[in-house]
Amino acid sequence: MAEEAKGIARREFLKGLGAGIIGGGLLVTGVFTATKTGIVSEVGIGKIKKLAVPASEGYIVVDTRKCSGCQSCMLACSLVNEGVGNPSLSRIQILQNTFGNFPLDISQAQCRQCVYPSCLYACPTGALHFDEKTGVRSVYEDACIGCQRCVQACPNTPSRVVWDYQDSHAEKCDLCLGAKYFSETGGPGGKQACVEVCPMKAIKFTGEIPVQTGKAGYDVNLRTTNWAANISPNVVGATAPTPAEGIYFNYTPPATK
Amino acid sequence: MFGYTGKIARINLTNKQISNIDTGAYDSWGGGHGIGSAIFWDLCADKTIDGFNPGNVVTIMTSPLAGTLAPTGSRTEVQGIGVQAYPIAWYTRSNFGGRFANMLKAAGWDGIVIEGASDKPVWLNIINDKVTIEDAAGIWGLDTWATQQEIWRRVGGSATYEDWWEVTSARDGGRTTQRPAVLANGPAGEALARNGSLVHDAGAGAGQGGFGGVWGAKKLKAISVIGTGSVKVADPKALMDLRLWLARNHYHNVDDPVRQPAPGMSGLSVARSTSSVANEPNRVTGCASCGFPCKRRSESGTYNDSQCVDGAFYTVTGSVRDSRRATDMMQRAGVNAFESMNFHPYLNTLYKKGELGPGKKIDSAPLDLSQYGTIGFAQAFLDAICSRKGIGNDLAEGAMRAAAKWGTLATALENRELNMPNWGLPAHWSLPEVSWCYGSLMGDRDTNEHCFSFPQWTATQTVGLHAGGLTAEKFVKQVTGKMVPYSDDPFMLDYTWQGPTAEATGIYSDHKAKFIAWHRHYTRFWKQSMLFCDWAFPNFINAQNKNLEGFTPKTEEDCYKAVTGKSLSFAQGIEIGRKIWNLDRAIWILQGRHRDMEKFAPFFYKQYTQSRAQVTVYKDNKWEYSVESKMYIDSPKFESWKTKFFQFEGWDTASGWPKRKTLEDLGLKKVADALASANKLGS
Amino acid sequence: MAELSVPSRELAARLLSELGYDEKITAWEVEPASGWLQCYIYSLKELANFLDAERGGFMHFIDPDDLRAWVRKTLGDEELAHAIAELSRECEACQNSVERYRKEIAVIRPIKELLLARLKQCEEVLGEATKV
């Protein structure tokens, strides 16, 4: 029942707005604000304007060299947010080439919660908004009209705004603020499914705005000595204890809890 | 349906017909192997045919857990009449990891069934619901890696795989950032090699059974899948909770482990395995949904995503780098690593004996055995198999059939020149871990199930390195305590092999019959139908848990329930496993299986210096660990054990054939009728 | 490590020779997943190179009893066999099979070093030309 009601509300909205855009031929570049109830109000339609938005209180950083490409983060993301297993609906994307050369064989593509969020500016309805409490950039899926401008506006490749083709709306990482199938409290101050599930600890939450350095921005060194002990002593960026002589029974491990 | 997508693609390569099978008609078999065997039973009219016969039915099945976050349920099970085992190439199985199963589920399919044989080389192209049979011109002849890359090009078109790409021409036809998952047949399979494997991505492969050769006979080069759909999960929150419970209590925390695993340790320890010592920058890689990735990709791109016996294919160069290069050659050729790593040393043995070489009884051309140990020899060995030129024509028949043709087989099995104790498949942890060799002989292949060896390794290596280790008594009680429904019998783990105790509670006892039965039933359902990874399940002892508590049986049960929404106890799963095991047994019996055939190679009954492995023994009224190094099997005692095992399974003790009551109690009346018609029903 | 006396030219040649099939020794390549792969070894040099407590994730193992017997009977080097026996004395003395196995693994490296030292002696006796 709840889903049906949402659908009707959205269809009515689409109908009204569609008439406005197509009929009027307006270039909609303004910003809507939206309340959490999904009621949208216009603040800048027809104007070319960038509204200052507060910074997000949290960010996901990754270490692409540490990532194993297991897609656990992708499946956890679609699971806690959509209740299904579907990498295409994941707000974090792991791209990989099995025949590639380390470290270029894998890239992790997570939303940066940009300080100047192009996706949010591009949204004609305010569906793509910032959470008033945390600043997290998020989508009111019911308010999305499916124009995909946010998807195209994302400056990163692949776009961090995900197009849910099955339900025809945009979606994006909200740091699990709105995760419906997550026992943990999400969002800044809470937990994020991808961070928690990653077996390589290659994804981390931070409350500080990471340095934007082009494509490599938000891709940080999360490698620890213990991790290196599991990889090899000479992996770039980490030093591991050298195993003592012998292998199976003579190995002296580093100090353990 | 939760977990299942609800349909299985049925493809007839002879008449090019494509249809659907309703998964619901088979879901009582669980998934994976269970559904595969049930479909094979229904669709393969004559089960006595050769694996190369167009009538052979090959199933490629997933688990209901695949495509979800369920840990490791992303393996793919391949079944059909094999071409490898000797003297009869049994109906068999092999499975592989990677991301194929998850992609197949995302495309909306629980599995694929291949029937018939094409008149010209083809590949299958699955894009969500759409399944097409494509011309393999330009792909046939390529190695497994080039095949996959060419198919990526053909399926993706202009896609760079660095961005979202639409898998159809419609806006809402589905988009993905992923490459198609391709299962490829190599040049070896094209040449109908009995040691031909199927390879997915760089290093995942189905090696045992010779399915490369089986596909070759069907003129099938590859199956490509790209999917963008969802797998429904009954209780997403519970599944996520389970995964986090595992991560926090049982998985190897790479940054802050509870116990440091020793190098060389596999299973539940991130990348502590074959590839653990890398001499160049590399990363750990894992199959889809894995919680403890174990593979590697390197800066040079060598040995990417290979694992386990792949790394042992050709180590005789003495150079780690060269052995890894040889592994890549083997993957590209699509050759079975496990058979080959035992086969090429045998060529050298015959060469040393003066029986093989230029002008010798066995002409080795085009191979030059004086080059054995060089990287060049590895390539020449693989090329010979793929080309079938000269000695290659014999090599492609596999070690047993080649030796039989050369007249050297009897000696090889008498003297352990071919270390292949059961059905022509190589020894593994076969002794002293009798669950391994007994299970292999009662089945169709090397079981390759590390259920009981990894706990021993954990106990000796990881736990043993730390204060407060694991006593043998605690080990036995904890392991058998999880072997529901027989959890009250610690003597299942008594590996005493000599003296009267061997028959009372040791390796020839009723306890061991029960133990082997549990193992066969557990793996048939939980490991090969739910497709939990062999390296992680069952988990009896867990070094990353403060109390060493393994996550079996809770995880198996909870996973199944969270994904499918159906309650199935661990023991009920074991019972379905028993049903599957009996169905498989019936197929082998139709193929010609009889108790009298179930004997190890002669060397197994002789005392040799043997592999060492720690086991538990009950001695002087207490449990202790023991490392057996000179163990062998006593033939009369083993025969008496077989009788005990057949009794436990409800099979006729004289023939090893299941009785009607046993089959009917399992709901297999049709199977009993078929065996009766063939005069092969146990009495 | 025991100091071995300089071998005769005859013994040195024998120790450096490539052996025939009937003179081989079986060693093992071990890995937790793939199990024990038996490897036939056809010379002392091959064995010395093969033995490694760890290489590429594998353990390379030989039974000290088998090795001692092979060196004595097949290669005819009593002194080397004795030195191997000295190194593996603790293994033999061990009643507990688990402990014995640990010690057998621990002794692989000293044995390897002993074999390498013996091979070096042989090469010196026979001159530079024998170096491989």
Side-chain angles (χ1 to χ4, degrees):
Chain A
M1 288 300 289
E3 282 182 18
E4 205 173 308
K6 277 198 305 190
I8 289 166
R10 189 164 155 247
R11 275 198 298 277
E12 285 171 348
F13 174 78
L14 289 175
K15 192 179 166 189
L17 193 72
I21 293 171
I22 298 163
L26 293 173
L27 178 64
V28 183
T29 54
V31 176
F32 290 78
T33 57
T35 71
K36 285 182 180 177
T37 56
I39 299 164
V40 182
S41 61
E42 178 190 343
V43 296
I45 193 162
K47 299 171 187 173
I48 298 177
K49 169 182 171 184
K50 279 189 180 178
L51 190 70
V53 295
S56 170
E57 286 180 12
Y59 305 84
I60 295 288
V61 291
V62 299
D63 184 345
T64 295
R65 286 169 189 253
K66 217 178 171 193
C67 173
S68 75
C70 71
Q71 302 186 344
S72 292
C73 55
M74 296 170 74
L75 290 159
C77 181
S78 68
L79 189 69
V80 301
N81 287 296
E82 314 298 333
V84 298
N86 187 345
S88 286
L89 297 185
S90 171
R91 294 128 191 234
I92 180 169
Q93 290 288 316
I94 306 299
L95 294 85
Q96 60 184 317
N97 182 354
T98 181
F99 304 116
N101 302 68
F102 170 83
L104 303 176
D105 58 316
I106 287 184
S107 59
Q108 288 165 288
Q110 87 286 23
C111 173
R112 296 186 176 193
Q113 301 293 340
C114 294
V115 175
Y116 300 103
S118 306
C119 56
L120 188 150
Y121 298 141
C123 179
T125 70
L128 214 158
H129 66 285
F130 63 89
D131 177 66
E132 288 169 3
K133 206 168 167 186
T134 63
V136 170
R137 289 79 171 103
S138 185
V139 178
Y140 289 137
E141 293 170 2
D142 293 349
C144 173
I145 59 169
C147 69
Q148 296 196 4
R149 288 179 188 210
C150 53
V151 178
Q152 288 150 14
C154 176
N156 299 301
T157 303
S159 172
R160 280 19 173 202
V161 185
V162 177
W163 176 243
D164 181 344
Y165 79 94
Q166 292 173 322
D167 214 14
S168 296
H169 63 72
E171 57 176 47
K172 70 172 291 302
C173 174
D174 61 0
L175 301 172
C176 287
L177 193 61
K180 296 185 281 288
Y181 306 99
F182 196 25
S183 297
E184 307 280 355
T185 302
K191 288 183 171 154
Q192 298 75 38
C194 58
V195 174
E196 295 301 306
V197 85
C198 177
M200 297 307 298
K201 312 289 176 200
I203 310 171
K204 197 178 163 190
F205 172 84
T206 178
E208 294 178 359
I209 303 173
V211 176
Q212 285 269 20
T213 50
K215 201 177 175 182
Y218 293 46
D219 195 347
V220 301
N221 185 346
L222 301 176
R223 283 149 271 166
T224 60
T225 304
N226 256 315
W227 167 84
N230 288 282
I231 307 301
S232 88
N234 53 359
V235 172
V236 173
T239 308
T242 305
E245 65 180 53
I247 173 167
Y248 295 132
F249 299 107
N250 298 331
Y251 173 63
T252 307
T256 304
K257 281 195 280 192
Chain B
M1 291 174 94
F2 291 108
Y4 305 92
T5 63
K7 62 185 192 301
I8 295 162
R10 180 179 179 184
I11 295 131
N12 188 316
L13 293 175
T14 302
N15 60 22
K16 309 291 188 284
Q17 280 191 348
I18 298 169
S19 56
N20 293 0
I21 294 172
D22 175 16
T23 309
Y26 289 96
D27 66 352
S28 63
W29 293 87
H33 190 97
I35 292 184
S37 283
I39 289 177
F40 176 87
W41 180 269
D42 289 347
L43 300 188
C44 184
D46 180 0
K47 294 161 187 73
T48 65
I49 56 174
D50 184 275
F52 293 123
N53 188 300
N56 192 7
V57 176
V58 175
T59 58
I60 297 140
M61 290 300 307
T62 69
S63 155
L65 310 180
T68 74
L69 189 62
T72 80
S74 57
R75 299 189 68 81
T76 308
E77 182 87 351
V78 183
Q79 292 154 262
I81 298 172
V83 292
Q84 180 187 3
Y86 183 87
I88 293 174
W90 304 115
Y91 169 72
T92 194
R93 55 161 294 275
S94 189
N95 77 30
F96 63 95
R99 57 199 179 87
F100 189 88
N102 280 22
M103 195 61 89
L104 191 59
K105 293 287 288 288
W109 304 96
D110 290 315
I112 302 165
V113 177
I114 309 289
E115 298 172 275
S118 176
D119 52 346
K120 62 177 186 179
V122 293
W123 61 284
L124 301 182
N125 187 7
I126 301 177
I127 301 174
N128 284 334
D129 277 352
K130 193 176 155 203
V131 181
T132 51
I133 300 172
E134 310 270 356
D135 188 339
I139 299 179
W140 192 260
L142 297 180
D143 71 37
T144 64
W145 290 6
T147 296
Q148 295 179 65
Q149 291 174 79
E150 173 59 16
I151 287 176
W152 288 350
R153 196 188 63 74
R154 292 190 186 188
V155 174
S158 60
T160 60
Y161 301 112
E162 291 174 347
D163 199 354
W164 293 99
W165 64 284
E166 307 287 349
V167 302
T168 72
S169 54
R171 187 192 78 161
D172 291 340
R175 61 174 64 180
T176 180
T177 62
Q178 305 297 300
R179 288 172 163 82
V182 182
L183 181 61
N185 196 5
E190 291 179 17
L192 308 187
R194 291 178 185 270
N195 34 29
S197 62
L198 301 174
V199 176
H200 158 57
D201 279 355
Q208 303 315 304
F211 284 105
V214 173
W215 277 31
K218 293 184 179 300
K219 294 239 178 350
L220 179 58
K221 181 61 179 171
I223 300 178
S224 168
V225 191
I226 190 77
T228 59
S230 300
V231 178
K232 289 181 187 168
V233 175
D235 190 344
K237 203 180 261 190
L239 182 59
M240 185 66 185
D241 286 348
L242 175 65
R243 189 63 193 259
L244 295 184
W245 175 76
L246 287 167
R248 290 164 187 168
N249 296 289
H250 297 89
Y251 286 172
H252 178 198
N253 182 329
V254 292
D255 290 342
D256 189 16
V258 172
R259 294 177 182 85
Q260 286 286 356
M265 185 59 209
S266 315
L268 289 180
S269 298
V270 170
R272 290 276 179 167
S273 51
T274 312
S275 43
S276 60
V277 181
N279 54 8
E280 59 175 314
N282 67 87
R283 76 165 77 251
V284 174
T285 54
C287 300
S289 317
C290 185
F292 29 85
C294 67
K295 305 180 287 183
R296 297 296 181 105
R297 274 185 220 142
S298 65
E299 195 171 61
S300 65
T302 311
Y303 200 68
N304 276 10
D305 291 339
S306 279
Q307 184 50 282
C308 194
V309 295
D310 297 338
F313 161 61
Y314 190 78
T315 56
V316 287
T317 62
S319 151
V320 174
R321 181 174 162 71
D322 280 349
S323 74
R324 291 197 176 146
R325 286 170 59 204
T327 293
D328 286 351
M329 295 172 188
M330 177 269 301
Q331 300 286 25
R332 296 178 83 135
V335 166
N336 175 345
F338 198 41
E339 137 110 3
S340 303
M341 70 193 231
N342 286 272
F343 194 5
H344 61 70
Y346 181 59
L347 299 181
N348 193 41
T349 298
L350 293 171
Y351 174 66
K352 290 283 182 184
K353 289 174 83 172
E355 296 179 15
L356 182 149
K360 302 289 183 185
K361 187 177 87 178
I362 308 159
D363 186 353
S364 60
L367 286 185
D368 178 0
L369 266 294
S370 71
Q371 295 302 302
Y372 187 69
T374 64
I375 187 75
F377 183 86
Q379 187 66 66
F381 172 77
L382 296 166
D383 288 348
I385 291 174
C386 296
S387 69
R388 279 188 175 263
K389 282 185 185 158
I391 196 173
N393 200 40
D394 297 339
L395 303 185
E397 291 298 301
M400 297 292 277
R401 286 174 176 80
K405 183 186 169 193
W406 299 333
T408 58
L409 183 60
T411 306
L413 295 181
E414 194 70 34
N415 299 341
R416 203 175 61 177
E417 292 166 356
L418 276 174
N419 194 9
M420 297 177 167
N422 31 249
W423 309 128
L425 276 94
H428 208 146
W429 289 102
S430 308
L431 285 178
E433 205 185 285
V434 293
S435 57
W436 204 296
C437 63
Y438 287 8
S440 298
L441 194 64
M442 296 300 108
D444 52 304
R445 48 162 283 177
D446 171 61
T447 62
N448 195 16
E449 292 157 356
H450 297 74
C451 309
F452 298 96
S453 49
F454 279 171
Q456 290 282 4
W457 281 84
T458 304
T460 53
Q461 294 178 205
T462 303
V463 181
L465 293 167
H466 300 267
L470 192 58
T471 65
E473 182 172 0
K474 185 174 181 219
F475 180 92
V476 166
K477 290 194 171 160
Q478 187 163 320
V479 171
T480 55
K482 289 176 179 294
M483 290 173 68
V484 178
Y486 312 134
S487 49
D488 58 349
D489 184 1
F491 290 111
M492 289 190 293
L493 249 62
D494 182 7
Y495 284 85
T496 302
W497 64 282
Q498 288 175 302
T501 310
E503 287 167 285
T505 58
I507 68 166
Y508 305 118
S509 69
D510 287 321
H511 305 277
K512 199 57 75 185
K514 190 194 297 177
F515 175 87
I516 302 301
W518 183 90
H519 195 201
R520 306 312 327 127
H521 305 163
Y522 173 87
T523 52
R524 271 298 185 268
F525 183 74
W526 291 111
K527 199 169 271 191
Q528 287 137 22
S529 297
M530 289 302 110
L531 289 160
F532 286 120
C533 177
D534 173 55
W535 285 29
F537 287 83
N539 188 237
F540 297 120
I541 308 283
N542 190 297
Q544 297 307 326
N545 179 271
K546 284 180 184 166
N547 301 319
L548 300 172
E549 188 66 35
F551 53 68
T552 288
K554 172 182 161 57
T555 301
E556 288 94 328
E557 281 181 358
D558 289 0
C559 243
Y560 183 85
K561 185 169 186 189
V563 173
T564 67
K566 294 187 279 190
S567 286
L568 181 85
S569 72
F570 185 76
Q572 286 171 320
I574 299 277
E575 188 62 7
I576 299 173
R578 191 162 78 88
K579 181 166 119 175
I580 301 166
W581 172 241
N582 272 272
L583 178 60
D584 286 357
R585 180 86 183 171
I587 298 168
W588 300 327
I589 287 163
L590 291 173
Q591 287 186 282
R593 179 70 66 89
H594 187 278
R595 172 192 174 126
D596 294 346
M597 302 171 71
E598 293 176 323
K599 296 183 192 304
F600 293 110
F603 72 82
F604 227 53
Y605 301 103
K606 295 180 181 179
Q607 186 158 34
Y608 282 95
T609 295
Q610 190 50 265
S611 54
R612 283 156 170 75
Q614 178 174 292
V615 290
T616 43
V617 293
Y618 192 68
K619 194 174 169 188
D620 300 330
N621 296 320
K622 65 176 178 21
W623 287 99
E624 58 184 57
Y625 290 116
S626 176
V627 172
E628 306 298 334
S629 60
K630 304 277 185 189
M631 185 174 170
Y632 61 94
I633 296 294
D634 180 294
S635 181
K637 288 179 183 170
F638 177 62
E639 288 303 313
S640 73
W641 177 84
K642 274 161 61 179
T643 299
K644 292 172 185 173
F645 179 68
F646 293 161
Q647 281 169 341
F648 189 86
E649 291 281 23
W651 300 344
D652 176 52
T653 56
S655 61
W657 298 341
K659 296 177 183 174
R660 175 169 289 280
K661 182 173 188 325
T662 302
L663 295 172
E664 288 191 353
D665 286 352
L666 288 165
L668 299 175
K669 183 177 178 303
K670 272 197 235 171
V671 176
D673 292 344
L675 289 183
S677 298
N679 289 321
K680 290 188 170 182
L681 188 62
S683 55
Chain C
M1 191 167 64
E3 285 290 324
L4 301 177
S5 59
V6 177
S8 67
R9 285 185 68 84
E10 187 186 12
L11 178 59
R14 173 70 176 159
L15 294 182
L16 289 177
S17 65
E18 177 87 4
L19 304 172
Y21 173 77
D22 293 332
E23 297 172 312
K24 68 184 183 302
I25 184 167
T26 302
W28 301 89
E29 185 169 79
V30 188
E31 198 268 338
S34 55
W36 286 61
L37 178 66
Q38 71 171 11
C39 303
Y40 290 164
I41 303 286
Y42 294 93
S43 74
L44 194 63
K45 186 183 278 285
E46 189 187 347
L47 179 64
N49 289 331
F50 175 85
L51 289 181
D52 238 323
E54 192 287 312
R55 186 170 71 210
F58 293 90
M59 173 177 75
H60 291 86
F61 183 83
I62 190 143
D63 184 301
D65 289 348
D66 289 354
L67 176 60
R68 200 174 55 242
W70 182 66
V71 168
R72 178 173 289 132
K73 291 178 191 163
T74 305
L75 298 180
D77 191 340
E78 194 65 44
E79 192 178 359
L80 180 60
H82 184 71
I84 292 167
E86 284 295 311
L87 285 175
S88 56
R89 184 190 301 279
E90 274 192 49
C91 308
E92 284 180 58
C94 202
Q95 293 300 308
N96 181 300
S97 62
V98 176
E99 274 307 306
R100 180 184 168 119
Y101 181 36
R102 286 171 194 262
K103 290 181 192 300
E104 285 173 341
I105 294 169
V107 85
I108 290 173
R109 181 163 293 191
I111 285 178
K112 178 189 175 83
E113 286 166 7
L114 177 68
L115 300 186
L116 287 171
R118 190 55 156 174
L119 287 163
K120 187 159 180 265
Q121 282 182 315
C122 295
E123 284 167 352
E124 285 166 359
V125 166
L126 294 181
E128 289 294 314
T130 62
K131 284 191 178 171
V132 179

